[in-house]
Amino acid sequence: MEASLLIHPSVGMTKPGDVEYYVRVRCYEAVLSKYPKDTVKLSLLPLAMRMGGPREAVWHAIIRKNYGCSHFIVGRDHAGPGKDESGKPFYDPYAAQQLLESYQEEIGITMVPFQMMVYLEDKDVYVPEDQVPMGSRAQNISGTELRARLSEGREIPSWFTFLK
């Protein structure tokens, strides 16, 4: 099979409170059915997260290049450890994108930046934070908040509109 998209999640140890890998894998498997047959491949990467932020993003890009990828999606705070004891983010939210952008030519992989998604209550959709229309009320649901809602069985605002 020669797929056009490799979904390649790390399934090793992560930070406390993260969604367990088998739950994440089941979510990926559910999404696979939305793609045309033989266009996507799911392959698990047995790699523990180091929470190394920008440097780890570069390492992840090298790994994906070695698997034959030409592009690599890097989101907000990629592999970041979160906030320090004073509540300040350890890394700038887009530091990983900035560092990888400076090495992508040398590595031979194109970085695809992914903005943080926010929920627009008035439109009942999720959009990248840099595409919020003037006057719209955007709600930020952090990864920590999302994991808490999932583990407690609380509602996630129109999450399925994001998946369409």
Side-chain angles (χ1 to χ4, degrees), residues 35-117:
Y35 288 87
K37 186 175 175 22
D38 296 331
T39 62
V40 63
K41 177 75 175 166
L42 174 64
S43 176
L44 307 182
L45 180 63
L47 178 73
M49 296 294 293
R50 272 57 173 193
M51 301 303 154
R55 290 183 190 177
E56 191 162 344
V58 171
W59 183 43
H60 288 170
I62 292 167
I63 292 169
R64 280 19 183 251
K65 176 65 179 176
N66 289 337
Y67 273 83
C69 295
S70 60
H71 292 72
F72 180 59
I73 299 170
V74 178
R76 181 189 167 282
D77 198 26
H78 181 95
K83 297 178 181 174
D84 63 19
E85 59 268 353
S86 66
K88 181 181 174 217
F90 196 83
Y91 294 109
D92 178 80
Y94 296 102
Q97 292 178 1
Q98 292 163 357
L99 184 63
L100 182 52
E101 185 175 36
S102 68
Y103 286 102
Q104 64 184 347
E105 192 172 310
E106 182 179 340
I107 294 169
I109 196 162
T110 301
M111 191 259 309
V112 179
F114 193 80
Q115 295 287 311
M116 180 175 73
M117 301 296 284

Side-chain angles (χ1 to χ4, degrees), residues 7-15 17-29 42-49 147:
I7 298 177
H8 202 220
S10 297
V11 294
M13 199 164 60
T14 61
K15 65 183 178 181
D18 269 353
V19 176
E20 286 127 350
Y21 84 86
Y22 56 87
V23 173
R24 288 184 285 122
V25 170
R26 287 182 188 148
C27 291
Y28 287 124
E29 289 172 336
L42 174 64
S43 176
L44 307 182
L45 180 63
L47 178 73
M49 296 294 293
R147 287 187 296 276

